[in-house]
Amino acid sequence: MAEDQGGDVNQGKKTRRRGAALERAILQAAAEELAEVGYSNLTMDAVAARAGTSKNVIYRRWPNRAALSVAAYRQMLPTDPKDTPNAGDLRSDALALLNRANDRLSSPAGKILREILSDIQNDPDRVREIHGQLVNVGVAPWLTILARATARGEVGPEALTPRVASVAVDLLRNEYVINGVTKVPASTIIEIVDQIFLPLVRAHR
Amino acid sequence: MAEDQGGDVNQGKKTRRRGAALERAILQAAAEELAEVGYSNLTMDAVAARAGTSKNVIYRRWPNRAALSVAAYRQMLPTDPKDTPNAGDLRSDALALLNRANDRLSSPAGKILREILSDIQNDPDRVREIHGQLVNVGVAPWLTILARATARGEVGPEALTPRVASVAVDLLRNEYVINGVTKVPASTIIEIVDQIFLPLVRAHR
DNA sequence: GGCAATACGATACTGCTCGTATCCTACTCG
DNA sequence: CGAGTAGGATACGAGCAGTATCGTATTGCC
């Protein structure tokens, strides 16, 4: 068994890594640093040291700290699909989805994402990179539960737009932007669903 | 030949400022720096130089760059009340308010605000300081136009909650968080009003 | 199998900026 | 009018991004 996983530190360093293997080792190291100290405290020196390489090699692959962090963050995502809730009524499904989003956003990974997002506002390339990858994915399950609700006659088909579908998550995200780091309380989740989401989709009928 | 050794052309400070006057001068200098180079490029050295003082004096009043910037930002706000639009129908008023918010958010001041907000997420004191001052103020006019619409019978009184009132601005703010710096296009404004805000408030009836 | 090109890794260095320390001096207040 | 306080100039330590150099392991080509 060769230690082709860049995982643990190769104390002996028999061989000098290159190409893809090295790249994986760097991303792994960067992801670990992100998890341990967060984006704002992540330093290129630390990543290089942890990966057992030098900053030079990193800068040959990513133009700056932000780009490396974005790439590393994408590595550390769960990627398990997590089936869409289907309780039989729209309110339960919406609450489940929104609570799930809240868990994601308040998790360490969520904190990291928000740190990165805020630091790259003036780097359109990076923003687009994260946008398509991370933000949009959340809309699909909402469209699914709305489609089921439509089939049940709970709401009209006019509610099946991305804007309507994403409204709850958008408002939740806004809570984090406005209030800072703390986790959004359950009461706010319920408020968003009962005062905004449900009245809105039922209006489209 | 420079006669500026020691004493220059005698616009030299006759008197050494102190207390409130000095504080105002520093905030003024900081506000100018914010306007010229933005928050992320604002340096304490530059502020001190522009104010004709030294960093020492600044740090005696504010604990760090973020706190100074927040204080300076509050100085540079317009504070002109800007009367609430009253066109006679809710849609026009909502569009007017939302366009106004869009102008504010896309202005240099808006960019600065977003830069600051993103940099102080781990500084709860600072977040609260900005929150109460800047974020909440936007809700009042929305409650006003909703109240007028209620009086006209356009919507029911259940729509008169802060959450409903702020939903359009919240969604707009979210656009900036997600999409980065560019100004949100008019089509998005209309979408928010016609797909979200109006159906929502009419549902409360 | 040998050799040149290339990528790695170590180290050092520049440049920038925050925040602090020192020391002198102008001004205020008793 | 003298002591204490606050302002101002300057220097400094520390941390970190990003760049430059240089020797060397590795690889791919012949």
Side-chain angles (χ1 to χ4, degrees), chain A residues 27-45:
Chain A
L27 286 176
Q28 167 82 11
E32 287 170 14
E33 283 291 317
L34 276 181
E36 285 182 19
V37 303
Y39 171 72
S40 57
N41 293 318
L42 177 142
T43 71
M44 298 301 261
D45 288 288

Side-chain angles (χ1 to χ4, degrees), chain A residues 195-196 199-200 203, chain B residues 90-91 94 142 145-146 149-150 153-161 163-168 193 195-205:
Chain A
Q195 282 192 39
I196 308 293
L200 173 61
Chain B
L90 184 55
R91 182 171 188 272
W142 287 90
I145 68 171
L146 278 175
T150 304
E154 275 195 77
V155 305
E158 303 83 16
L160 287 173
T161 75
R163 178 124 251 141
V164 171
S166 68
V167 80
V193 169
Q195 282 191 39
I196 308 291
F197 180 72
L198 289 181
L200 174 61
V201 296
R202 284 176 186 149
H204 286 285
R205 198 158 40 175

Side-chain angles (χ1 to χ4, degrees), chain B residues 137-149:
Chain B
V137 292
V139 180
W142 287 90
L143 285 171
T144 301
I145 68 171
L146 278 175
R148 290 197 190 117

Side-chain angles (χ1 to χ4, degrees), chain B residues 108-178:
Chain B
K111 179 167 166 10
I112 291 168
L113 173 58
R114 277 178 285 126
E115 275 186 307
I116 294 180
L117 245 188
S118 65
D119 193 53
I120 60 177
Q121 291 295 327
N122 30 5
D123 186 344
D125 290 350
R126 231 55 68 207
V127 170
R128 241 175 291 116
E129 198 173 343
I130 278 205
H131 187 347
Q133 177 90 5
L134 305 178
V135 181
N136 276 337
V137 292
V139 180
W142 287 90
L143 285 171
T144 301
I145 68 171
L146 278 175
R148 290 197 190 117
T150 304
R152 287 192 300 263
E154 275 195 77
V155 305
E158 303 83 16
L160 287 173
T161 75
R163 178 124 251 141
V164 171
S166 68
V167 80
V169 174
D170 288 344
L171 290 175
L172 179 62
R173 190 182 299 117
N174 182 66
E175 290 290 318
Y176 281 97
V177 173
I178 296 302

